Amino acid sequence: MRSFYLFLFLVLASRAEAQEVSALAIGDSLYAVGNYSKAIAQYEQIANKNEQVYLKLARAHQAKGTLDDALTNYKLAATSTDEVIAMNEYGKLLITKRQFKEADSVFSALISVYQTNPDFYYQRGRANENRPSTISIKEPDSILKQKIAKVHKPLEDYEKAVALDSTHQKALAQVATSYLKRKDYPVVERLAFKALESYPTNVEIISTLAQSYYYKGWNEEGIEWFEKLLALGQDTQFIREKLGNLYYKKRKYEKSVEQYLGALKFSPEDWYLHATLAKLYNHTADLKSAETHGLFAVLYKDLPLDEEYYTLARTYEMKKDWKNAMKYVNRSLEEKPENKNAEYTKAIIADNYYEDRRAVLKLYEDFIKKYEKGEYAKYDPVLRLAQERRDKLNEEIFMAEGEEEE
């Protein structure tokens, strides 16, 4: 009889084990084809779940997007540093969920055992990169020192990852970005070229390198690397604007226009892009386009509008549409009376628009009187032009009045 019960127990145990194996296999098949909810249902049928089953549940929940459930199961799977795969994935998900302190603890535990794994240092750096500071300078020195000692500095972790693996692209990118923020451009470039040796199309590294050249004023090099980003399919408003500005500095106005038009596709109502295009089209003598974008800049921008009105005034001046030129230069000066360029431009427009020569003369005289006592007045080319035109007008008025007396 006892043998019979033993046999029955073994049969039932065998069936239960077979059912669990079947549920696991079915769950794995469903997970493989992206049917995560049904895969989860199969895994949940397993009565005696171990770390591997919890890991499968965690992965399925993460793939499905139910991240809180994924965290719960990762925690059950990551019972010790022996479960290194589960702990690694658990720590990464904690970063995604912005639970940075917990993520730091997970990767610190892994580092204590696996001290030569570069990615664990990189992940801990990520955990602390955006971790809110709980340190207050008002705290006693003893407490402050304790808190500071507990914080792992992200840059140090990134640099450790690079020291362990000189081809770790993400760590290299983070280190390069850190030095870019410090404006240490030689270090940025050295790190960038090191990264590109092993991965020549790393767009994050190329972007950092392009920005380094941009901010240090190496325009040709900046153009080269921003153009590489576009060639690699990285088309963004940021890239287009930076590239447009670089071409502008090189006085390649047509190419600059092309880039700012590309930027405009991302933000069609960006007043700054329209204003910049208006100025560029003035340089290329495409005055119709300059007028169009100048009007859009006025339409989309909140006050003040002095620069946009001034650009429109210059456009109409070049079109010899003196009425509109005067209209917009006056609007510019209403917005910002202390605009030297607009004041001089108004005198030029009046010179072509007004029949009253004395009214024009007064504008030049007022301008000269206002700026002739400036510290660098004798070096001011605009002031010199105004003085020359004043003298010429005085001569013209004198000659005209002499003819009238005869």
Side-chain angles (χ1 to χ4, degrees), residues 14-223:
S14 176
R15 285 182 179 178
E17 184 177 351
Q19 286 176 345
E20 290 193 355
V21 170
S22 176
L24 193 63
I26 294 170
D28 289 348
S29 297
L30 290 166
Y31 177 86
V33 296
N35 200 335
Y36 304 120
S37 293
K38 288 187 177 180
I40 290 167
Q42 289 294 321
Y43 295 141
E44 289 289 8
Q45 289 181 22
I46 299 171
N48 300 311
K49 298 181 183 67
N50 57 23
E51 287 82 357
Q52 290 303 310
V53 176
Y54 286 123
L55 179 59
K56 291 176 183 292
L57 276 166
R59 287 173 173 172
H61 276 295
Q62 185 168 359
K64 182 183 174 183
T66 47
L67 300 186
D68 289 335
D69 290 328
L71 277 178
T72 299
N73 284 284
Y74 270 127
K75 193 170 184 178
L76 292 168
T79 53
S80 72
T81 52
D82 291 337
E83 303 296 333
V84 60
I85 295 174
M87 282 194 73
N88 184 34
E89 293 182 21
Y90 178 43
K92 290 178 180 179
L93 184 56
L94 284 168
I95 295 172
T96 300
K97 291 287 290 179
R98 303 187 65 80
Q99 295 182 28
F100 301 121
K101 183 179 179 180
E102 294 81 357
D104 172 90
S105 297
V106 167
F107 286 109
S108 292
L110 286 170
I111 288 168
S112 69
V113 178
Y114 305 95
Q115 297 177 11
T116 58
N117 186 314
D119 200 60
F120 292 160
Y121 290 97
Y122 168 72
Q123 297 299 340
R124 189 171 70 178
R126 285 182 64 217
N128 289 295
E129 182 81 32
N130 299 305
R131 183 175 172 181
S133 175
T134 59
I135 296 172
S136 171
I137 59 173
K138 295 180 180 180
E139 292 177 311
D141 288 348
S142 58
I143 296 176
L144 191 60
K145 287 180 181 179
Q146 289 175 7
K147 284 193 171 184
I148 291 173
K150 290 180 180 179
V151 175
H152 299 105
K153 295 179 180 178
L155 181 57
E156 290 180 2
D157 276 336
Y158 292 142
E159 289 180 328
K160 181 68 174 178
V162 171
L164 290 167
D165 179 2
S166 63
T167 66
H168 195 297
Q169 296 293 312
K170 291 182 178 179
L172 280 163
Q174 290 290 351
V175 176
T177 300
S178 295
Y179 281 99
L180 181 65
K181 291 175 182 176
R182 298 180 182 187
K183 300 182 180 179
D184 194 340
Y185 304 125
V187 174
V188 173
E189 288 149 28
R190 188 164 65 250
L191 288 164
F193 284 116
K194 180 66 179 174
L196 293 173
E197 285 178 8
S198 54
Y199 186 15
T201 57
N202 184 329
V203 293
E204 190 175 0
I205 288 289
I206 292 171
S207 176
T208 305
L209 182 59
Q211 290 176 67
S212 178
Y213 286 132
Y214 178 90
Y215 291 122
K216 70 189 285 189
W218 288 25
N219 299 331
E220 287 286 356
E221 290 78 4
I223 287 170

Side-chain angles (χ1 to χ4, degrees), residues 7 28 53 77 107 135 138 153 245 260 267-268 309 311 319 345 378 387 391:
F7 172 75
D28 289 348
V53 176
F107 286 109
I135 296 172
K138 295 180 180 180
K153 295 179 180 178
N245 192 24
Y260 278 107
S267 299
Y309 285 141
T311 299
K319 292 180 74 173
T345 299
K378 64 180 180 179
Q387 291 167 336
D391 296 342

Side-chain angles (χ1 to χ4, degrees), residues 100-377:
F100 301 121
K101 183 179 179 180
E102 294 81 357
D104 172 90
S105 297
V106 167
F107 286 109
S108 292
L110 286 170
I111 288 168
S112 69
V113 178
Y114 305 95
Q115 297 177 11
T116 58
N117 186 314
D119 200 60
F120 292 160
Y121 290 97
Y122 168 72
Q123 297 299 340
R124 189 171 70 178
R126 285 182 64 217
N128 289 295
E129 182 81 32
N130 299 305
R131 183 175 172 181
S133 175
T134 59
I135 296 172
S136 171
I137 59 173
K138 295 180 180 180
E139 292 177 311
D141 288 348
S142 58
I143 296 176
L144 191 60
K145 287 180 181 179
Q146 289 175 7
K147 284 193 171 184
I148 291 173
K150 290 180 180 179
V151 175
H152 299 105
K153 295 179 180 178
L155 181 57
E156 290 180 2
D157 276 336
Y158 292 142
E159 289 180 328
K160 181 68 174 178
V162 171
L164 290 167
D165 179 2
S166 63
T167 66
H168 195 297
Q169 296 293 312
K170 291 182 178 179
L172 280 163
Q174 290 290 351
V175 176
T177 300
S178 295
Y179 281 99
L180 181 65
K181 291 175 182 176
R182 298 180 182 187
K183 300 182 180 179
D184 194 340
Y185 304 125
V187 174
V188 173
E189 288 149 28
R190 188 164 65 250
L191 288 164
F193 284 116
K194 180 66 179 174
L196 293 173
E197 285 178 8
S198 54
Y199 186 15
T201 57
N202 184 329
V203 293
E204 190 175 0
I205 288 289
I206 292 171
S207 176
T208 305
L209 182 59
Q211 290 176 67
S212 178
Y213 286 132
Y214 178 90
Y215 291 122
K216 70 189 285 189
W218 288 25
N219 299 331
E220 287 286 356
E221 290 78 4
I223 287 170
E224 176 188 352
W225 290 96
F226 276 119
E227 286 284 11
K228 282 182 187 269
L229 286 173
L230 288 178
L232 290 168
Q234 301 299 304
D235 194 353
T236 68
Q237 182 174 338
F238 176 83
I239 293 170
R240 292 286 186 174
E241 284 193 51
K242 290 291 181 284
L243 194 50
N245 192 24
L246 287 167
Y247 277 125
Y248 174 79
K249 290 176 181 177
K250 297 292 291 182
R251 298 186 180 182
K252 297 180 178 181
Y253 300 124
E254 289 82 2
K255 286 184 173 292
S256 184
V257 164
E258 179 186 347
Q259 298 308 321
Y260 278 107
L261 286 174
L264 200 62
K265 292 178 181 178
F266 295 93
S267 299
E269 296 184 5
D270 188 322
W271 70 267
Y272 173 78
L273 296 177
H274 285 291
T276 303
L277 281 163
K279 292 176 184 177
L280 285 167
Y281 278 123
N282 278 342
H283 281 296
T284 63
D286 185 348
L287 302 182
K288 183 176 180 181
S289 294
E291 178 185 5
T292 299
H293 287 284
L295 290 169
F296 273 127
V298 169
L299 174 66
Y300 293 131
K301 187 186 178 186
D302 295 328
L303 295 177
L305 294 165
D306 56 291
E307 280 296 323
E308 289 63 47
Y309 285 141
Y310 175 66
T311 299
L312 270 172
R314 292 302 311 277
T315 299
Y316 287 121
E317 177 194 352
M318 286 186 277
K319 292 180 74 173
K320 302 188 186 304
D321 183 346
W322 306 116
K323 181 179 178 181
N324 275 317
M326 183 60 74
K327 171 184 172 181
Y328 283 104
V329 80
N330 280 332
R331 287 188 179 181
S332 177
L333 288 167
E334 286 171 9
E335 295 276 334
K336 186 179 179 182
E338 299 300 317
N339 186 332
K340 183 180 176 182
N341 289 332
E343 289 175 281
Y344 180 64
T345 299
K346 180 175 179 177
I348 294 174
I349 294 168
D351 208 345
N352 290 276
Y353 185 41
Y354 292 167
E355 293 182 5
D356 186 343
R357 296 288 85 191
R358 287 197 174 277
V360 175
L361 177 62
K362 187 175 186 310
L363 286 171
Y364 282 113
E365 288 177 335
D366 289 346
F367 179 83
I368 293 164
K369 184 178 179 180
K370 186 172 182 178
Y371 294 106
E372 66 182 349
K373 294 182 180 178
E375 185 178 357
Y376 302 104

